[in-house]
Amino acid sequence: MSLLQEMLDAKIISIIRGVASQDIVKAVEALQRGGVRFVEVTYRPGDDAACRDTLRSISALQEQFGGQMHIGAGTVLSVQQVEDAAQAGAEFIISPNTNTDVIRYTKQKGLISLPGAYTPTEAETAWEAGADIVKIFPAGNLGPSYFKAVKASLSQLRLSAVGGVSEANISDFLAAGVDSFGIGSNLVSADRVRRGAFDEIEKAAAFYTNAVR
């Protein structure tokens, strides 16, 4: 089975933001116990040290979970960040925007591309540039009916809902034809990691993975 098909079957990608590299393994262990298999480690805004910590996290997770979990990079805004993430072992690249240079370079590196879009025009532009799945962000502002309408006109697109997806509405997004989901602080938050609340992460992971089966 291809990595893309695995991602489409699993549907849930955990977005980990603001968790230091020394704490991230325990969080991902909890996700794994709960059934999540795809993890996005986001680039954090700031200086080079923050970027290096993101890359350390990707490398550490690949070393610990390679073959069991799939690790990607998020908030990728440049070709250089694609290159750095690929060197660290990222298997997929996720962006908040539609940058055709980033999309094309991601595909040149043999990685899965999930660029962000908001409008149908942006989504189609991303698709034509080679996106495997188009991330609609922020999904919560648009609602499930938006995805249903876009799918009706642009049925070739694979769409991921990111931002505002919760336990209360994921079934509605799924019914609207959403192909995958990026779940952030409702799964892994810096607060949960700080408190050592890994049981909460595991429980949330189990809920979301069961919700899409």
Side-chain angles (χ1 to χ4, degrees):
M1 184 185 297
S2 70
L3 180 59
L4 176 59
Q5 191 57 56
E6 283 188 54
M7 182 179 283
L8 291 168
D9 288 348
K11 288 187 168 58
I12 300 296
I13 301 172
S14 174
I15 304 168
I16 299 184
R17 181 182 294 107
V19 175
S21 57
Q22 64 265 26
D23 300 319
I24 203 165
V25 168
K26 286 185 177 180
V28 175
E29 285 174 342
L31 290 171
Q32 185 180 38
R33 291 194 299 271
V36 170
R37 293 293 175 264
F38 286 81
V39 175
E40 168 195 345
V41 183
T42 68
Y43 276 102
R44 288 180 288 149
D47 57 19
D48 290 342
C51 291
R52 287 195 298 271
D53 195 60
T54 295
L55 299 172
R56 276 196 298 269
S57 292
I58 293 170
S59 296
L61 294 178
Q62 277 293 12
E63 183 176 345
Q64 182 77 16
F65 300 100
Q68 303 171 29
M69 305 282 282
H70 297 292
I71 312 303
T75 319
V76 178
L77 300 175
S78 69
V79 165
Q80 186 60 56
Q81 287 183 328
V82 176
E83 178 64 31
D84 293 343
Q87 293 274 350
E91 298 172 87
F92 53 92
I93 299 295
I94 302 181
S95 301
N97 60 338
T98 300
N99 182 322
T100 56
D101 289 337
V102 167
I103 296 166
R104 292 188 179 108
Y105 193 69
T106 297
K107 298 313 297 176
Q108 286 176 25
K109 299 296 291 185
L111 307 178
I112 301 296
S113 172
L114 294 91
Y118 192 74
T119 68
T121 298
E122 289 174 342
E124 178 63 17
T125 297
W127 186 258
E128 290 295 329
D132 295 288
I133 303 172
V134 180
K135 161 185 160 180
I136 302 297
F137 170 82
N141 292 16
L142 298 166
S145 60
Y146 181 85
F147 286 81
K148 187 175 181 180
V150 172
K151 281 276 198 174
S153 300
L154 299 169
S155 59
Q156 75 276 20
L157 300 184
R158 302 185 194 100
L159 301 180
S160 180
V162 180
V165 178
S166 67
E167 294 186 6
N169 63 23
I170 189 169
S171 60
D172 295 328
F173 280 103
L174 195 63
V178 172
D179 297 285
S180 74
F181 299 89
I183 311 294
S185 59
N186 287 330
L187 255 181
V188 178
S189 66
D191 175 65
R192 280 177 170 169
V193 173
R194 252 192 321 269
R195 292 187 288 110
F198 299 109
D199 57 332
E200 292 180 19
I201 295 173
E202 180 181 349
K203 182 179 177 182
F207 173 86
Y208 283 107
T209 54
N210 288 328
V212 297
R213 286 177 180 162

